[in-house]
Every structure is written in C-alpha cells, then in structure tokens.
Amino acid sequence: MVMVSFVEPGGAEQQIDVPEGWSLMQGAMSNGVEGIEGECGGSCACATCHCYVDDAWLEKLPAAAENELAMLENVVAERRPNSRLACQIKAGAALDGLRVELPEAQS
Amino acid sequence: MTELAALGTEEPMVIVGAGQSGLQVAESLRAGGYEGRVVMLGEEPHPPYHRPPLSKAYLAGEAEAAQLTIRGPDALARKRIELRTGVAVAAIDRDARELALSDGSRLRYAGLALTTGARVRRLPLPGADCGNVFGLRTLDDVHAIAQRLVDARDVVVIGGGFIGLEFAAVAAKQGKRVTVLEAAERLMARVVAPPVSAFYVDLHRRHGVVVELGCVVSEIVAGDAPGSGREGGIRHGGPDGDGGPDGRFATGVRTADGREHPADLVVYGIGVVPNDQLAVAAGLACDHGVIVDDCGRTADPRVVASGDCTARRLADGRLLRLESVQNAVEQGKSAAAALLGKERPFVASPWFWSDQYVAKLQMVGLSAGYDEVITRGDPDEGRFSVFYYAAGRLLAIDSINQPQDHMTGRKLLDRGVSPTPAQAADSQFVLPSLLK
C-alpha cells in the first residue's frame, strides 16, 4: 500500500492507502474523496481528475505524456506548473507519503 | 412541482439501477442538501463501477476489478447511501408510490429515479446461445470473455462499432487471429464520417485483423468443443464445463455469402436496448427509452430518469438517445435536482471517446445531417480531426489523437461558435483564438 494524502477543496485532508499499481484517481474515488470526478474511468479523456502535486514530489513522478498535457490545457480550474491528472499517476513505493491538493472545480 | 425535500417523509428516495447514473443521482441528492434516506437498488452484485474500461484496459488485463469501483461500500455508507445489490424491481405502483422487489418485499418511495441502463442487443441468430458466444456490457461478461480469450486462437467479432472494435484491438494485441464482420460498408458508420472509418479499417488491418465489410452474418455454426467428452456419453460444455444450454460451442460464423469464418470465441457488439420495461409497465411514456425532458423529468412529478435508459425530448420535439458516461453523469445531476424541485437542464454538447490500439478517438457534438466534412491534420500521421458542417455551421468534431482539437471543440460547440470550414481546414489557424 502507498499512503497518499488528498487535500479536498475545503481543506480537509484524507490519507488513503492506495494499492500499488492503482492510479491516484482510482484510490481517491473508490474511497469517496471529494473533489475528483474521474468521469471517464481513467482513459485520460475527460480532465476531471485534476490535482496539484506537492512540489517536493513532482520530480519523483514520471513526466506527463503528450495526451495528458493536452488534457491539462483544458482543466476547468487554474492550471499550475504542478498540475497533473490523477488517473495518470500510478501508485508505487517511491510515492509513499505523496500529498496532492484538489482544485475547487473539475467540470 | 412539489418540494419533496420539504415533505419530511420517512420514505426514501429510491434509485433503481446502481451504475454510473444511479450513483450520480444519489450523490447529487446529498450534494443538493437532501438529508432523508437514499436507497440505491442494483441487479448486479457489484458496487457502482466504471463501465468504459471494460472493453479497453480492463479486458487487456491492465487493471483488477476493484480498480473499476467508482465508490466502495464504505464511501457509500459515509454518505448514507444505502446500496442493495442483487435485487431487481418487479413492478412500480405509482399510485401507491411503491416498488415490488424481486425478493418479494415492497418498498415505498418519496421520489423515484430510474437509472436502469441498457442491455446488450442479443444476436437474433441460430447458435447465438452457444457457450463461447458473448455480448459485452457488464463486469461479469468481461470476466467470461477474458477467461475464454486466454486459450482462444480464432476470434470472430460481430459488429464493427465501438465495443466490437475495442475488443478486436485487445484480442489482436494478444496475438489472436481476429476477424471483424460488419454489415455496413464501413466501420462505425452510424456515428463517424467516411474518413474516420477509412482510418480505422486501415488501423485494424495493419494490426492483422481481418475486417469484412458489407458482410451479413447468417448463423453461428455450433459443434462440440474439443475435449467435450461426448465420446463417453457425458455432455460437458468444454474444458471447464460451462457451455451453452446444450453444452454447444460455436466453431465458426457463417455469413450470407456462404463462407464460414472459424471461431473458438465469438463476441458481438450490435448495439444496446434501453431498459425501459418497468417504466412501460408503469404507464410512463417510453419510446426506445424512458422519455424525459432536459431536466430528467417524466410526466410523473415523483419519477425521474437518467442515463442509458432514457430518451430525451429536445426543444424541437425530437427524441435523443445518448449512450455515454457524460449523459449518465449530467442527466443524473439533472434528475437529482428535479427530485429536489429544482431545474437543472442538461444542454452541453454530447461527447464520447473510444480507445483502439494507440488511437484515441474523441467525439463531440452530433454529426447527423452533415453536408460537408473538413479534415484537419494528416490521417497518414495518425493525428487528425474531422469537422462536420451543415449549411456552413459546425455540428460536430471527431478527433483522432488530437485531444486539443476535441477539448477546444467542446467549448466552441457549447458556446455556439463555428469556425469557418476554411479555418477548420487550416491546421495553422489557432482554433482557441475564436473563444477569446
């Protein structure tokens, strides 16, 4: 299990044990974290699982693929340098303790 | 309309169907401030799950079942959404505001949301009940298909639409000999223009898939599975004994031209049928779907419907049936609002997507009635968009590996902004500049 902290738009922080190999979107949604919609189920087709990755962790993530970058250009909330799509981040041991913030709006 | 939320009744809001749309209704009721009981009834044994990956990443073995769960039981319980799985509704008594359930019990409701989805259109052919012939709609369907796929060599796909082609791509990538049989003269003909169909037929053929167009299926050829044990007088379905009703197995698919395509696995995707039987029996207006307005309302102020089971009445009187996640989610939000006495119309442009190999097809708008098609980008490079026009006005865009065009297209269509055909054709023209 990989412990990931999700900070909901209202400021509430939830720590979720995400099984290795799952995406952050899957871990957050199945546990009922507010602020991630993930409508497309993880196909990188809807841009509704936008999250802000804590700067300290950013460089530990594989870079966003072209498709993710294109979808990030169209997120509803402000796009920041640390914007990622939670469906494209797979939980692995190196991410234990990762902290991500969720934007005010996804759609 | 009555303010149901203000009634303070003990009767719950009841949602029939525990898929994406049913879950959306439940959560939107909570988000809308409804404090009363919310009961969600599901026929399948699973909590609500993401259906789109079934024919894509999940079937390819890239995920486990739990990863498809949209909300787990604990998350539902925290929101006081009472999920009851494995239970069907036998009848709706609208006068008594009461449901008869398959377990013999009855359940009264304050408000009712029908989110019953759709079911696979069955193959109306001899031999279709063979044990290795499958439709693809549910998690259980996919488990059965995946189990067969492991040892299958010859896979025949009936229907060259999204589901059939996504499955064909998965099977081809696993090294199976795959044949796609499509009755129309081109792939996905109901929804995309000829240039898109041409790109996809080429894509599948390059991956070794045999694509037969204009090919009408006449029969599933049934025989005994290898190792069926018939010689010993014992009838097994196959190695694991799960054959059709007679333990029969398809050995091929015969087409109207007399040919037989060998198969040890047959998957068909020839469309779905909306589950509107309950509504029909309850006297609600239905026409290939429960008829709702753009707020998810039926004629009964206590009954709303959303998602694949609906047919939405448009302003011009036509009925629109959409089968998509977006429709399930957006109508679900509308339906929940309607139960709370609010109007929240769903008017955004419809969007869809399909993943086949490394090609992501994203569609926005409805192209029916187009009189002009503009291609932007180069199909030979595997990235392009097709713009559909009627009388010079943009109707829809299909994008292949061009998510930027798609996302810009959603905004253009939602705002009623139409690039000229010349602007669309010019790949140097910056489409988002029209949104400023």
Side-chain angles (χ1 to χ4, degrees):
Chain A
M1 290 286 187
V2 180
M3 203 274 286
V4 180
S5 293
F6 294 91
V7 184
E8 296 179 355
E13 187 160 339
Q14 277 203 62
Q15 297 185 337
I16 304 288
D17 283 326
V18 184
E20 285 196 37
W22 287 36
S23 72
L24 298 195
M25 180 277 289
Q26 290 163 341
M29 287 191 72
S30 58
N31 284 288
V33 172
E34 297 289 333
I36 287 196
E37 294 178 7
E39 287 186 9
C40 78
S43 290
C44 201
C46 70
T48 63
C49 62
H50 180 200
C51 65
Y52 302 117
V53 176
D54 252 24
D55 289 337
W57 292 92
L58 206 52
E59 62 195 32
K60 297 188 178 166
L61 300 180
E66 190 183 357
N67 193 41
E68 182 184 345
L69 291 173
M71 296 307 281
L72 279 170
E73 284 185 39
N74 294 281
V75 291
V76 170
E78 179 195 2
R79 184 185 180 187
R80 300 176 194 158
N82 61 343
S83 285
R84 293 295 302 262
L85 294 181
C87 74
Q88 301 300 303
I89 302 174
K90 278 212 164 35
L95 298 185
D96 194 43
L98 174 68
R99 185 171 175 279
V100 301
E101 292 183 26
L102 302 174
E104 288 290 330
Q106 294 283 5
S107 61
Chain B
M1 174 169 175
T2 324
E3 277 279 354
L4 294 181
L7 293 181
T9 164
E10 294 138 50
E11 283 139 15
M13 296 288 194
V14 178
I15 301 160
V16 184
Q20 185 128 28
S21 204
L23 175 65
Q24 188 63 56
V25 173
E27 297 200 325
S28 292
L29 283 170
R30 287 285 177 249
Y34 183 71
E35 297 285 345
R37 284 179 66 203
V38 174
V39 177
M40 182 163 56
L41 307 173
E43 285 190 38
E44 291 184 59
H46 317 286
Y49 59 89
H50 291 290
R51 226 177 266 284
L54 289 180
S55 49
K56 308 178 181 82
Y58 183 70
L59 186 58
E62 293 167 20
E64 53 184 287
Q67 286 172 267
L68 298 180
T69 302
I70 307 178
R71 294 280 185 266
D74 292 350
L76 293 172
R78 279 202 301 279
K79 290 189 173 180
R80 293 185 301 115
I81 295 167
E82 301 169 38
L83 171 64
R84 295 172 60 182
T85 54
V87 59
V89 174
I92 304 168
D93 181 340
R94 291 197 289 131
D95 293 330
R97 280 191 285 119
E98 191 173 73
L99 304 177
L101 305 186
S102 56
D103 61 7
S105 65
R106 305 184 78 82
L107 180 62
R108 283 187 40 97
Y109 60 82
L112 179 67
L114 300 174
T115 59
T116 46
R119 62 190 181 278
V120 159
R121 183 184 301 281
R122 294 287 160 195
L123 209 51
L125 288 175
D129 56 353
C130 285
N132 55 341
V133 177
F134 300 96
L136 197 169
R137 173 83 187 168
T138 66
L139 194 52
D140 296 344
D141 290 339
V142 171
H143 287 160
I145 292 169
Q147 195 182 5
R148 286 266 156 229
L149 187 59
V150 175
D151 296 319
R153 288 195 312 170
D154 295 295
V155 175
V156 171
V157 178
I158 299 174
F162 296 138
I163 293 289
L165 293 175
E166 287 175 357
F167 169 71
V170 171
K173 281 203 283 192
Q174 295 188 7
K176 310 301 178 186
R177 286 196 296 250
V178 182
T179 302
V180 173
L181 307 174
E182 167 56 47
E185 292 299 329
R186 57 190 184 85
L187 297 177
M188 302 181 282
R190 198 165 59 93
V191 282
V192 303
V196 180
S197 297
F199 173 83
Y200 276 91
V201 78
D202 183 53
L203 180 68
H204 280 273
R205 284 174 176 161
R206 277 191 284 118
H207 282 86
V209 174
V210 175
V211 181
E212 302 278 358
L213 300 171
C215 186
V216 176
V217 175
S218 54
E219 182 188 358
I220 306 294
V221 182
D224 297 329
S228 64
R230 277 215 177 200
E231 60 278 11
I234 303 162
R235 296 174 73 174
H236 293 296
D240 37 13
D242 59 347
D246 303 320
R248 294 188 311 161
F249 272 71
T251 57
V253 176
R254 188 165 291 135
T255 45
D257 56 12
R259 286 185 297 163
E260 183 178 328
H261 306 268
D264 41 29
L265 171 61
V266 178
V267 172
Y268 58 93
I270 56 170
V272 296
V273 181
N275 290 325
D276 61 4
Q277 313 93 302
L278 274 177
V280 169
L284 292 163
C286 297
D287 184 356
H288 302 284
V290 185
I291 296 177
V292 294
D293 67 7
D294 58 8
C295 292
R297 296 177 291 210
T298 69
D300 183 333
R302 299 267 183 179
V303 183
V304 297
S306 63
D308 283 5
C309 71
T310 65
R312 175 156 49 112
R313 182 77 70 190
L314 302 178
D316 64 8
R318 285 179 305 146
L319 285 173
L320 175 64
R321 265 196 52 66
L322 293 173
E323 297 151 14
S324 71
V325 166
Q326 178 210 22
N327 189 55
V329 169
E330 293 300 321
Q331 274 194 325
K333 292 177 184 174
S334 298
L339 284 176
L340 299 176
K342 301 184 190 105
E343 290 207 350
R344 188 248 178 228
F346 165 43
V347 289
S349 300
W351 55 266
F352 318 84
W353 81 97
S354 176
D355 294 328
Q356 298 167 40
Y357 311 103
V358 294
K360 181 178 289 294
L361 170 60
Q362 292 174 283
M363 296 150 276
V364 59
L366 297 172
S367 59
Y370 68 87
D371 56 22
E372 184 180 8
V373 166
I374 302 288
T375 300
R376 177 184 176 89
D378 185 358
D380 290 340
E381 289 179 10
R383 341 158 42 99
F384 66 104
S385 294
V386 172
F387 288 61
Y388 299 79
Y389 285 88
R393 181 133 206 99
L394 182 66
L395 294 179
I397 306 172
D398 294 343
S399 301
I400 289 91
N401 291 331
Q402 291 284 54
Q404 191 59 57
D405 282 356
H406 170 76
M407 296 302 280
T408 303
R410 284 200 209 171
K411 293 173 191 161
L412 290 170
L413 288 163
D414 281 349
R415 296 186 202 173
V417 178
S418 182
T420 66
Q423 287 170 335
D426 176 6
S427 56
Q428 300 301 310
F429 180 80
V430 183
L431 290 169
S433 68
L434 297 172
L435 295 165
K436 299 241 159 72

